[in-house]
Amino acid sequence: MKKIIKNGIIVTAAETYKADIMVENEKIVLIGQDLSDSSAEIIDAKGNYVFPGGVDPHTHLEMPFGGTVSKDDFETGTIAAAHGGTTTVIDFCLTNKGKPLQDSIDQWHAKSRDKSVIDYSFHLMISEMNDSVLEQLPSVIEDEGITSFKVFMAYKNVFQADDETLFRTLEEAKRLGALVMVHAENGDVIDHLVKKALEKGQTDPIYHALTRPPEAEGEATGRAAQLTGLADSQLYVVHVSCENAVEEISKARKKGYQVIGETCPQYLVLDQSYLEKPNFEGAKYVWSPPLREKKHQDVLWNALKTGELQTLGSDQCSFDFKGQKDLGKGDFTKIPNGGPIIEDRVSLLFSEGVKKGRISLNQFVDIISTRIAKTFGIFPQKGTISVGADADLVIFDPNIERTISVETSHMAADYNPFEGIKVTGQPVSVLSRGEFVIRDKEFVGKVGSGNYLKRARFGELKQSHEELYQN
Amino acid sequence: MKKIIKNGIIVTAAETYKADIMVENEKIVLIGQDLSDSSAEIIDAKGNYVFPGGVDPHTHLEMPFGGTVSKDDFETGTIAAAHGGTTTVIDFCLTNKGKPLQDSIDQWHAKSRDKSVIDYSFHLMISEMNDSVLEQLPSVIEDEGITSFKVFMAYKNVFQADDETLFRTLEEAKRLGALVMVHAENGDVIDHLVKKALEKGQTDPIYHALTRPPEAEGEATGRAAQLTGLADSQLYVVHVSCENAVEEISKARKKGYQVIGETCPQYLVLDQSYLEKPNFEGAKYVWSPPLREKKHQDVLWNALKTGELQTLGSDQCSFDFKGQKDLGKGDFTKIPNGGPIIEDRVSLLFSEGVKKGRISLNQFVDIISTRIAKTFGIFPQKGTISVGADADLVIFDPNIERTISVETSHMAADYNPFEGIKVTGQPVSVLSRGEFVIRDKEFVGKVGSGNYLKRARFGELKQSHEELYQN
Amino acid sequence: MKKIIKNGIIVTAAETYKADIMVENEKIVLIGQDLSDSSAEIIDAKGNYVFPGGVDPHTHLEMPFGGTVSKDDFETGTIAAAHGGTTTVIDFCLTNKGKPLQDSIDQWHAKSRDKSVIDYSFHLMISEMNDSVLEQLPSVIEDEGITSFKVFMAYKNVFQADDETLFRTLEEAKRLGALVMVHAENGDVIDHLVKKALEKGQTDPIYHALTRPPEAEGEATGRAAQLTGLADSQLYVVHVSCENAVEEISKARKKGYQVIGETCPQYLVLDQSYLEKPNFEGAKYVWSPPLREKKHQDVLWNALKTGELQTLGSDQCSFDFKGQKDLGKGDFTKIPNGGPIIEDRVSLLFSEGVKKGRISLNQFVDIISTRIAKTFGIFPQKGTISVGADADLVIFDPNIERTISVETSHMAADYNPFEGIKVTGQPVSVLSRGEFVIRDKEFVGKVGSGNYLKRARFGELKQSHEELYQN
Amino acid sequence: MKKIIKNGIIVTAAETYKADIMVENEKIVLIGQDLSDSSAEIIDAKGNYVFPGGVDPHTHLEMPFGGTVSKDDFETGTIAAAHGGTTTVIDFCLTNKGKPLQDSIDQWHAKSRDKSVIDYSFHLMISEMNDSVLEQLPSVIEDEGITSFKVFMAYKNVFQADDETLFRTLEEAKRLGALVMVHAENGDVIDHLVKKALEKGQTDPIYHALTRPPEAEGEATGRAAQLTGLADSQLYVVHVSCENAVEEISKARKKGYQVIGETCPQYLVLDQSYLEKPNFEGAKYVWSPPLREKKHQDVLWNALKTGELQTLGSDQCSFDFKGQKDLGKGDFTKIPNGGPIIEDRVSLLFSEGVKKGRISLNQFVDIISTRIAKTFGIFPQKGTISVGADADLVIFDPNIERTISVETSHMAADYNPFEGIKVTGQPVSVLSRGEFVIRDKEFVGKVGSGNYLKRARFGELKQSHEELYQN
Ligand SMILES: [Zn+2]
Ligand SMILES: [Zn+2]
Ligand SMILES: [Zn+2]
Ligand SMILES: [Zn+2]
Ligand SMILES: [Zn+2]
Ligand SMILES: [Zn+2]
Ligand SMILES: [Zn+2]
Ligand SMILES: [Zn+2]
């Protein structure tokens, strides 16, 4: 059945205008003034913004980590995402050395297939680079449509790859048309600092931050960027948290290297002092890279404004405070890394960014949706309000004032790291491929309705139907 | 009468998609797939790109300079602009110390009113800052809708303003919501170098370049940027030609200063060696800042790609080689500065930028149209293909191969500085507020049909009708 | 009569060693272990340091300023200098537009000739650059041995020169072998900010600092540096006070420009908060550039350490608090700029620099003496403990702990800006050309005994006798 | 027996003056004008320069490498060094994982003890960091006086240490008062590029350079520098060859990190094109890092001038072209890395640096001697002409013009990489601890007369006798 969304202000990465949108067969089919169609359901946007559904490029749903599993799975996680205005997630598929990549991918399909309420896709972790892996990659790209590979420079003896693996991954990515993503922290340095801290009995959550200093992130970011330049490849630095890393990205871009940087809401609004909360509550704010001193926030905001950083991911990886985070009592290294962020990503950027004049309204849409869709090969199917695109739409009231709280959150974890923070603006209704997932702030979607998205190669458009887009 | 443009690939600053556009009463009213309306004229875009008409933020039409007047006036200049895919120009209104600003503005209205075939607006030159000027500025902004002020840091004893004037203009602009534009070259240094060259008998055109070194531009750009930071104001640096200036803009932006940089096609594709052409032909390439050594081109391109530079102006100011440029035979300082560029601005950026992989297709639209419209307060009336916007549209065949030549140019001057350069892509048809100005490469417009555009304050949207856009 | 200084640790810009020094006929004639000569007076250095007498490159003794005259003249000023371990001063000779340069120089000779207790020389202010000045300069250099020219970029309508004057001075300096010195602040901007402050009734001393922001100094420093690069000349930036200026100097040096930076003790140890002292006491700390926020201090120290800044001047220009500084009550612009610094320059750098591990002992000597002597054409006559050099020697006890106070100062002003600051180390005895000026902390010199020093061209050695030093 | 060196111009890192030097019991005992002593041998320096003997901080004498051994041993190597004006060498003592450090040190003593004609010392390679190594280090420092540790970031699977080893070495060095030296190239990247080249049949010497790009050196340099900052330790980057590395060092120093950079003559005067010489002659120029494109030379020279680089080492590691270098015919990886440089280090810096105006005469002495002596804990015993110092002296004729050639070289290898290069200036006579090693260009020393030098901790003075230098 057709739908017409009326009385909205359409906001895209470039435009702000008033028009109605007609949706049919999952797609946007018509944009115009005063649209009418007797067969269409009329949805009144009431003067609110209508923007393309957010794309979260960085989630870890139901992910095993340190002997436990992240709390939100593809069901609760994507329901929360939808509440927050996100209609696509790209989750990290972990792999194991020596095991077939397809096994891991199948596992990830199994986790998500019957649960996700919005569309989703996967990045693939690369833990080694050898002849066997090289043989498997073409199928990963062509059959699975997975065109982004993740390499860890940290988590020594767990996920960490050496520079040769990173460099070869960059080379292969270039050859195959994929994008390399890095978790950029110097794992060797961190591993040693952690050991020293534990030896000294420094076991509280704050030592998580103090043993992962900004220099360790800056160094690794610069290293990855320079290897990218050398390989003439393309790099996406996930979860940039500090000035040190921004400087390296900026320097690389000035040299003409293809380096894209992502930051996360937690680095924009929280800071290192949160890890010092009493009663072990600091553990709620343990993720990697850690929260930084407040002065880094301004640098991150300015980098979003000038385009040195280009996207916002959530790094969603939630754990309960009780029963999970508290595994690390007496030893901060046992605190599972991560937090529940997926739901508040969009609202926080709007409230702290647009409302406070740090970025423009169009930049906001670009940062939470369009740029990500383009970067990861799902544009213009996703990330845009334009004719032919999937009708993934958010009706967003920019004036609602509310306070973030675990009470009103839809994520599974037993706390919200943004508890008490006041934000302005909230998604009222959200459509995924033309169907309401959220309507008047209530979940009305269907578990398992999300589709798996095969993605285009890096730099290419995702063609949703028969058209041939030139250039 | 309605029109429907069918079979085009719509390209905006953010989107690339296939859809039809319906135009009515000068505006875009509907965008959809397979639009039909029996009362509408159907225009077949034949698979070509359709993008928003270019906005040229930097023209000098019929401008007095050095005892002569620039060759293209608002008639020939805007016809040529339209041929090239530009549907709006913003011309520089020169003023005289001690004279009412309104007199100058009236003069500019008189020149343009009955001639322009596309819409147009003015920037206002500020040559002094005193109580009288301060009193006049509110009316300039409110009544004339002129929200950008130009200050010259060069042309000593002619246009050059001192730092106090520049600084106060920045302060007033901040207060009033205007944007300050600078011609950033150190006029004192240049004036002295010129005198020395002439004393030594160095009178050939190449000495125009050698007496205006990149350092003089870098210095002035840095100075203007730092004054902007101090005044917490907003700056637009016109015609950035060299790495030195890009570095300063980049440094300022990193500090969070609001600095926008424009470059021009001549700096992207020509270089200093052109000034050494024999038979005084170097004079054809005399403008200020001068063409630079080739190595600067890469820096400019990369700056467009990363967003350190954001717009492309033509700095159109054409003079005949015979009868005008040759006034400078035997004394390069008498060569009128400027050239015929307005027509080739868009095609050159497409061909050298998009086709050669230096910038994306969406960036191209942003750089020649959208960003400029936003920067100068005419968005979303101009600079976008969205419902409610003026139907300023370019149907662009990306595959036509042709060679630029004065033979086929529509500008009035007797030469074309890009003579012989091969480009790919050409505007086939161009509409201004829904009417064809160019159809199948022929001018079909009406002299004097262009409207004067009052512009919104810096940072504000231009509201073309009753809507109230929020934020 | 000969003297032998025994039992000292000789410290030069490069060396630290234990040896005796024999002095005869004003010169150092012998350095060795266990020197003896029955005809010589033996001076026991008692294990203290012996280093070359400090050279203060930046003083304003008996200088007219704002309707008053700086308090210390060449008598009190040089006595205080000697107490502080300084044995040479270079004072700024002010000039007037349109007046013969020689007149000003004669005036300065008249002020100093019969008063100075140590050797001295002059820099010459350049306030205009025209044919007349050009004709006079060769004599200034050859007859007067004045090989450094000072240009002011601030003090609008008083001392301020325009960029053409600065640029031409740089060119002439290059041609003639002189060094250009700049007071680098943007006078236009400051003048305007000052007017605005006064209009708002902001008349307290703190507004002196707030109307001369670091950006105004950074901008002017960068401008002067870039003009120097263009002219392929040599520049000395006096009294660098802030990170903004250091950055510009560093950038210029990286480009291979010949730029030397001086800072002053006040910027290293005091900060902007001093200007907020109650009871108008902030006026005691009014000089230009003003004291900066504390964070700039670290940058200055590190720049001294890495060699980005190379010298320390006092900018001595003292005024009484009562009767002079208080001219500015109710109007900060009337506060005479400057303070009594000449006496504490050396001790403060030793105590805050060497003792606190920020610079090495040899760097200390370089910064307060050797580098300055080399820079201004009096090396190796001054600035070194080597055979053949003038016996300008300081016997310095590095372990004396004392508190700086006007009570124990020898400068004429009625306050000391470093009042209450604890320092370690003090000159015990000081010799000028082999004669004691200070002995056991008492002045024992002779008023008028100081010689005027003609200086070598920039980059050349000052040959004190017949030798021809090659290179 | 005493000696008096008369009629020389003494040049130190700070001074240039004319005086005589008396030498007795290996030491400088007196410096003065017109010294005389009937019991002394008079040496006429004939107006030449007399400067402190050079210190070469970077040699590999009789070093095993790739199945062969470097040609010059401590006999031929130090004789050649002396001819070139070097009177101290510090050689790299290689170690093996799991073997006692003392074994390696003993081996190095055995190689050098009976051969060296000048004084010498060792750096110690650190290939692993564990409890056993930690236990051994105090004795290395206290008993052996070895206070500098070398870590390799390249030569994968041979010398390369991982980041944890580097970081821990930095921490231990800080604790113990030692200096960490790094060979900074990214071994992982290089190893992979080398494999790829060989697979493609790219076996010529030029591929040695092309598989070790500047980015690999810049990256590793930045990494080491940032780890140094994090550990608050001290770093010495050996053989800096390119702008990329200089930039990183400069950035680190600006942050206040203690980072010292060394370059080598080959990088200052040769370039990458040498590796393309026909008939496999490119192999003569194979060392690591490789020679770079010519543009890097200017950056290195300017860095020496501004102090961003501070020392010059030879990286002496000579191999015959026939019989050693030609092991790599058909496979560039089998070419032994290194060349005969030790003899020409000083002359090349003088001729290309001082004579061409790139650095001053005093800087020259600092760079080849004084700064090195200070950096490695042998100052003021070495590196200075001052009373009490070892009489290691070079009498240097600055005007001799000659052409470097293997014919006239004293190094053992069968070629000289600087063959045919004209230089101005040559050591005429050289004294080591008061005895001639070179006299009128002939070797007159005694094999085995060199002493092993125990060195002071980083930042401390080497006290050659009973004196206690304060500070
Ligand atoms: Zn991560
Ligand atoms: Zn993650
Ligand atoms: Zn201009
Ligand atoms: Zn213009
Ligand atoms: Zn001053
Ligand atoms: Zn002064
Ligand atoms: Zn090495
Ligand atoms: Zn080596």
Side-chain angles (χ1 to χ4, degrees), chain A residues 14-15 18 29-33 35 47 49 250 253-254 258 302 305 362 374 379 384 467 470-471, chain B residues 14-15 18 29-33 35 47 49 250 253-254 258 302 305 362 374 379 384 467 470-471:
Chain A
E15 331 288 347
K18 192 167 183 179
V29 294
L30 202 63
I31 301 177
Q33 287 175 323
L35 296 186
Y49 291 143
S250 171
R253 289 171 64 86
K254 200 161 288 178
Q258 185 86 20
N302 193 55
K305 181 181 174 185
N362 304 128
K374 287 178 172 175
F379 178 89
T384 164
E467 296 93 341
Q470 288 159 289
N471 186 287
Chain B
E15 330 288 347
K18 192 168 184 178
V29 294
L30 202 62
I31 301 176
Q33 287 175 324
L35 295 186
Y49 290 143
S250 170
R253 290 169 64 85
K254 201 160 290 178
Q258 185 85 18
N302 194 53
K305 181 181 174 184
N362 303 127
K374 288 179 173 176
F379 178 88
T384 164
E467 296 91 344
Q470 289 160 287
N471 186 284

Side-chain angles (χ1 to χ4, degrees), chain C residues 14-15 29-33 35 47 49 250 253-254 258 302 305 354 362 374 379 384 387 467 470-471, chain D residues 14-15 18 29-33 35 47 49 250 253-254 258 302 305 362 374 379 384 387 470-471:
Chain C
E15 330 290 347
V29 294
L30 202 62
I31 301 175
Q33 286 176 324
L35 296 186
Y49 290 142
S250 171
R253 289 170 66 84
K254 201 160 287 176
Q258 186 85 18
N302 193 54
K305 181 181 174 184
V354 178
N362 304 127
K374 288 179 172 175
F379 179 89
T384 164
V387 170
E467 296 92 342
Q470 290 158 288
N471 176 329
Chain D
E15 330 289 345
K18 193 169 182 177
V29 293
L30 203 62
I31 301 176
Q33 288 175 323
L35 295 186
Y49 291 143
S250 172
R253 289 170 65 85
K254 201 160 288 177
Q258 184 86 17
N302 193 55
K305 182 181 174 185
N362 303 127
K374 287 179 173 174
F379 179 90
T384 163
V387 169
Q470 289 159 285
N471 183 307

Side-chain angles (χ1 to χ4, degrees), chain B residues 165-230:
Chain B
T165 303
L166 171 56
F167 188 63
R168 292 185 66 183
T169 304
L170 284 160
E171 287 189 332
E172 291 309 315
K174 168 76 179 177
R175 203 170 55 85
L176 296 168
L179 178 62
V180 178
M181 308 170 81
V182 283
H183 175 127
E185 288 187 298
N186 187 311
D188 270 42
V189 166
I190 288 167
D191 187 62
H192 176 64
L193 292 175
V194 163
K195 277 183 203 149
K196 282 208 312 182
L198 292 182
E199 278 168 20
K200 291 189 213 159
Q202 299 170 332
T203 60
D204 288 344
I206 184 64
Y207 291 103
H208 174 77
L210 299 179
T211 56
R212 308 184 83 95
E215 287 84 355
E217 183 183 344
E219 186 284 309
T221 304
R223 182 156 30 115
Q226 295 191 53
L227 267 49
T228 302
L230 248 180

Side-chain angles (χ1 to χ4, degrees), chain C residues 150 152 183 239 288:
Chain C
K150 170 80 172 288
F152 287 89
H183 176 126
H239 51 44
S288 301

Side-chain angles (χ1 to χ4, degrees), chain C residues 214-227:
Chain C
E215 287 84 357
E217 183 183 345
E219 185 285 308
T221 304
R223 181 155 34 112
Q226 295 192 53
L227 267 50

Side-chain angles (χ1 to χ4, degrees), chain C residues 329-349:
Chain C
K329 266 193 181 153
D331 180 353
F332 69 85
T333 67
K334 302 221 161 63
I335 303 169
N337 281 212
I341 314 281
I342 200 168
E343 186 170 357
D344 300 307
R345 181 181 69 107
V346 169
S347 290
L348 282 165
L349 192 72

Side-chain angles (χ1 to χ4, degrees), chain B residues 58 60 239 315:
Chain B
H58 190 157
H60 302 282
H239 50 45
D315 201 3

Side-chain angles (χ1 to χ4, degrees), chain B residues 58-60 63 92 150 152 155 183 238-239 262 288 314-317:
Chain B
H58 190 157
T59 68
H60 302 282
M63 186 188 86
F92 285 94
K150 170 81 171 288
F152 287 89
Y155 297 111
H183 175 127
V238 301
H239 50 45
E262 166 199 283
S288 299
S314 69
D315 201 3
Q316 160 77 21
C317 192

